[in-house]
Amino acid sequence: MEKWINGLMDTLGAPGAGIAVALENLFPPIPSEVILPMAGFASASGRIGLLAALLWTTAGSVVGALALYGVGALLGRERTLGIAARLPLVKVSDIERTEAWFVRHGAKAVFLGRMVPIFRSLISVPAGVERMPLPLFLVLTTLGSAIWNTAFVLAGHALGDNWEQVTGLVSVYSKAVLVAAVAAVLCFVGIRLTGLVRPGPGGRRQRR
């Protein structure tokens, strides 16, 4: 992975870092916490300019987010509800409540979501489904991405050869987010299963 990213930057310069970040939005297994410090280290070693690294990585984030926004817009509300209706343990009312929450807090969700591992990419999909005004989506995505990217690029620039220390620290943060997400999903499933099976006459359990 690191060789591939380095190869992109060696061949294309700062735009190579931007391409890697755009792909990271579309394929989350490519971690931004590796790409961004590497871009910072490349700027510290003089291979690319620091300002160029910041601009291109942020542009890459916005392009990747726009692609996922387009997926959500193409999917649309009715298709999303149709898919939800076919999923086990998921109720259409759950999706409708999530939709209502996004309508109220979508701006904050898109902005802050750009700084949360895992959700950095996924938050663009509901924004597209709900057809958040594109100019607003672009502004929020650009600002959130710029903050996230700047922090990691500057950290990699400052640490130089020790840029991998950044990856180690963020790995802990990412794992904490993942554990919280898994716990939330398990709680949701547990609540749904409890609701589907309730005590019947004589203490027997019966399905609703």
Side-chain angles (χ1 to χ4, degrees):
M1 181 70 68
E2 293 178 14
K3 289 182 179 179
W4 177 76
I5 297 169
N6 267 319
L8 271 179
M9 289 190 288
D10 286 338
T11 304
L12 302 175
I19 291 172
V21 170
L23 292 174
E24 178 263 335
N25 280 263
L26 299 173
F27 306 101
I30 303 175
S32 64
E33 56 265 29
V34 172
I35 301 168
L36 297 172
M38 284 182 70
F41 170 57
S43 69
S45 60
R47 290 159 54 203
I48 61 177
L50 178 58
L51 180 59
L54 294 172
L55 292 176
W56 277 102
T57 54
T58 298
S61 295
V62 174
V63 169
L66 269 175
L68 291 175
Y69 177 96
V71 170
L74 287 173
L75 189 62
R77 180 177 185 274
E78 296 305 318
R79 288 180 183 173
T80 302
L81 292 176
I83 293 171
R86 299 187 187 96
L87 294 175
L89 304 178
V90 176
K91 294 182 179 179
V92 172
S93 58
D94 293 329
I95 305 301
E96 290 174 339
R97 280 195 293 270
T98 302
E99 177 186 30
W101 179 89
F102 193 88
V103 169
R104 292 194 303 271
H105 306 289
K108 288 184 288 187
V110 169
F111 174 67
L112 297 175
R114 297 302 306 173
M115 292 173 268
V116 180
I118 301 172
F119 300 104
R120 295 183 66 249
S121 301
L122 298 179
I123 194 62
S124 300
V125 177
V129 170
E130 295 302 322
R131 298 297 178 95
M132 173 181 279
L134 191 55
L136 176 61
F137 175 78
L138 286 174
V139 169
L140 295 170
T141 298
T142 301
L143 289 175
S145 298
I147 293 171
W148 176 267
N149 293 357
T150 298
F152 285 95
V153 170
L154 290 181
H157 182 88
L159 289 170
D161 290 332
N162 297 316
W163 66 269
E164 291 183 347
Q165 291 181 11
V166 180
T167 303
L169 291 173
V170 179
S171 177
V172 176
Y173 175 43
S174 299
K175 288 176 181 176
V177 171
L178 180 60
V179 168
V182 170
V185 170
L186 291 176
C187 285
F188 172 81
V189 172
I191 290 170
R192 278 286 171 265
L193 290 175
T194 302
L196 287 172
V197 181
R198 59 184 176 85
R204 294 180 180 177
R205 299 184 72 78
Q206 63 181 26
R207 290 186 176 276
R208 288 184 177 179

